[in-house]
Amino acid sequence: MTPIRNNQSDGDAVLDAVRDCVLAVGVRRTTLTDVARRAGVSRMTLYRRWPDVRSLVGDLMTREWVDVAAGAIPEHRPDTTARERLVEGLVAGVGSFRAHPLFRKIVDVDPELLLTYVLDRRGASQNALLELLADGLKEGHADGSVRTGHLERQARSLLLIVQSFTLSLRTMTDEDDADLSSAAFLTELRDILERTLTP
Amino acid sequence: MTPIRNNQSDGDAVLDAVRDCVLAVGVRRTTLTDVARRAGVSRMTLYRRWPDVRSLVGDLMTREWVDVAAGAIPEHRPDTTARERLVEGLVAGVGSFRAHPLFRKIVDVDPELLLTYVLDRRGASQNALLELLADGLKEGHADGSVRTGHLERQARSLLLIVQSFTLSLRTMTDEDDADLSSAAFLTELRDILERTLTP
């Protein structure tokens, strides 16, 4: 362990430890003691910033999902429109989410944790994703490649669509049938998003 | 009670009894004994057709949701296209589902029952809804108002979209803000569906 760390890397080391714990045993069976041990910090250090496992997992999710989303957004290139980048980023993002080990672990082991964010209220991760979406939409309004509309409502509607493809695609695919494979549905999603956003 | 009934109305009386029980106490606290008593049939009669509460509730859901969906589809009129009817039906359907007492009860009291059908596999109700959607799409392919595409994939993609608006709209609305009200989002949904289906 490095003896001196700044807050950022301290936080990152803790979130790395939470991630390892969740991947090993799921969210419900992860304890603050496990996390503290794995991160090499005292329980008091953890408690000061995170009162419980739920808040730790919340921060981990936000970090991971924003990383996934940011990684899915293509680089700005002068020969692409904002809409092209947004659609490409959203489709790639759905694919990356579905393949993400942490996402799969939660779906398999602690799926009930997702219910709140599907039925009741947005979590911090969803709000962070909405900000990224709003940025993309704003660029598209500016370069004329995205139909004008209420920015926040457009962002939230897009999130409803891609969230459903991320969470529920498995209920609709039949991987033995090329027309009903995940890849075919992601092409359909691309078409839906493209049509939804075109002015 | 009428002394002689055919199977259909017998089944309906039982499903009515399940509905009343679920509306009163939720799914988990409903028992076959309650249902039998309320329907005025013996427990043996119930067992013969439904081995457990889950199968009873499954049949009730299928009946209710197909009723909601069928009620939302506008009548065939010569001056409308199949796409117009489909889009109008889907938007009205999302509104009716969200207002349905049984749907609200499950979301409020037994939300974990929805998880399987969001994450893992389709239920009988979803398959029944997909058939209705496929019928509408087929008409649209025939009259040229819906873009051609793989019928089943189109139906399932539409279900992913409207399911998300039905289940998760509450997480995205802000009823105090006209731009972010349910009504505004349903207008957005209409736009998305219209654009998605136009040839």
Side-chain angles (χ1 to χ4, degrees):
Chain A
M1 250 192 322
T2 325
I4 297 168
R5 282 182 190 150
N6 61 31
N7 272 337
Q8 182 55 45
S9 62
D10 246 11
D12 269 344
V14 170
L15 294 185
D16 287 347
V18 188
R19 184 196 57 207
D20 293 346
C21 289
V22 171
L23 285 177
V25 299
V27 175
R28 264 169 317 173
R29 293 177 53 212
T30 291
T31 66
L32 281 182
T33 309
D34 296 340
V35 175
R37 189 180 307 130
R38 213 182 262 261
V41 299
S42 73
R43 280 176 45 144
M44 275 316 293
T45 305
L46 274 197
Y47 274 127
R48 239 175 271 137
R49 191 151 159 199
W50 294 280
D52 49 31
V53 169
R54 200 174 179 88
S55 61
L56 260 175
V57 170
D59 278 6
L60 171 66
M61 294 297 133
T62 305
R63 182 185 76 169
E64 298 287 322
W65 306 155
V66 168
D67 272 4
V68 167
I73 299 170
E75 274 176 52
H76 187 101
R77 288 206 327 262
D79 59 333
T80 59
T81 64
R83 184 182 75 243
E84 287 167 337
R85 291 192 299 275
L86 188 55
V87 171
E88 195 180 324
L90 285 168
V91 173
V94 169
S96 306
F97 262 102
R98 298 183 72 238
H100 196 290
L102 202 60
F103 179 73
R104 298 177 78 103
K105 190 73 183 185
I106 290 174
V107 166
D108 288 343
V109 177
D110 302 295
E112 68 284 356
L113 294 182
L114 299 168
L115 262 185
T116 303
Y117 310 109
V118 169
L119 297 175
D120 290 334
R121 61 173 182 80
R122 296 195 301 282
S125 312
Q126 285 160 309
N127 284 330
L129 294 175
L130 283 175
E131 277 182 38
L132 285 176
L133 281 172
D135 288 345
L137 288 167
K138 234 181 279 176
E139 278 182 44
H141 292 166
D143 77 2
S145 62
V146 169
R147 73 175 156 105
T148 51
H150 186 273
L151 185 72
E152 195 54 36
R153 190 172 65 232
Q154 278 186 317
R156 295 185 191 183
S157 299
L158 285 183
L159 188 57
L160 284 175
I161 296 174
V162 296
Q163 198 169 271
S164 192
F165 273 78
T166 304
L167 292 175
S168 304
L169 195 55
R170 184 156 76 171
T171 68
M172 298 294 172
T173 51
D174 175 356
E175 299 294 352
D176 294 335
D177 179 343
D179 286 323
L180 295 171
S181 65
S182 312
F185 274 99
L186 290 185
T187 303
E188 189 82 27
L189 172 64
R190 174 186 300 276
D191 217 8
I192 290 167
L193 295 173
E194 185 68 32
R195 285 161 165 265
T196 296
L197 293 173
T198 299
Chain B
M1 246 190 329
T2 324
I4 298 168
R5 285 184 191 148
N6 61 31
N7 272 339
Q8 181 56 43
S9 61
D10 246 12
D12 270 343
V14 170
L15 294 187
D16 288 346
V18 188
R19 184 196 56 208
D20 295 345
C21 289
V22 171
L23 285 177
V25 298
V27 174
R28 264 168 319 173
R29 292 178 53 211
T30 291
T31 65
L32 280 181
T33 309
D34 296 340
V35 175
R37 188 180 307 129
R38 212 182 262 261
V41 300
S42 73
R43 280 176 42 145
M44 275 316 294
T45 306
L46 274 197
Y47 275 126
R48 239 175 271 137
R49 192 151 156 199
W50 295 280
D52 49 30
V53 169
R54 200 175 178 88
S55 61
L56 261 173
V57 170
D59 278 6
L60 171 66
M61 294 295 133
T62 305
R63 182 185 76 169
E64 298 288 322
W65 305 156
V66 168
D67 273 4
V68 167
I73 298 170
E75 274 177 49
H76 186 104
R77 288 207 325 265
D79 60 333
T80 58
T81 64
R83 185 183 74 245
E84 286 166 338
R85 292 193 297 276
L86 188 55
V87 170
E88 196 181 322
L90 285 169
V91 174
V94 169
S96 306
F97 261 101
R98 298 183 72 238
H100 196 290
L102 202 61
F103 178 73
R104 297 176 79 102
K105 190 75 184 182
I106 290 174
V107 167
D108 288 343
V109 178
D110 301 295
E112 68 284 356
L113 294 181
L114 299 169
L115 262 185
T116 303
Y117 310 111
V118 169
L119 296 176
D120 290 335
R121 61 172 182 81
R122 295 194 302 280
S125 312
Q126 284 160 308
N127 283 330
L129 295 175
L130 283 175
E131 277 181 37
L132 286 176
L133 279 172
D135 288 345
L137 288 167
K138 236 181 276 175
E139 278 182 45
H141 292 166
D143 77 2
S145 62
V146 169
R147 75 177 153 103
T148 51
H150 186 273
L151 185 71
E152 194 54 37
R153 191 173 65 232
Q154 276 185 319
R156 295 185 191 184
S157 299
L158 285 183
L159 188 57
L160 283 176
I161 296 174
V162 296
Q163 198 169 271
S164 193
F165 274 77
T166 304
L167 292 174
S168 304
L169 194 56
R170 184 156 76 170
T171 67
M172 299 293 173
T173 52
D174 176 356
E175 299 295 350
D176 294 336
D177 179 342
D179 286 323
L180 295 170
S181 65
S182 311
F185 274 100
L186 291 185
T187 303
E188 188 83 28
L189 173 63
R190 174 186 299 276
D191 217 8
I192 291 168
L193 296 173
E194 185 68 31
R195 285 161 165 264
T196 295
L197 294 172
T198 300

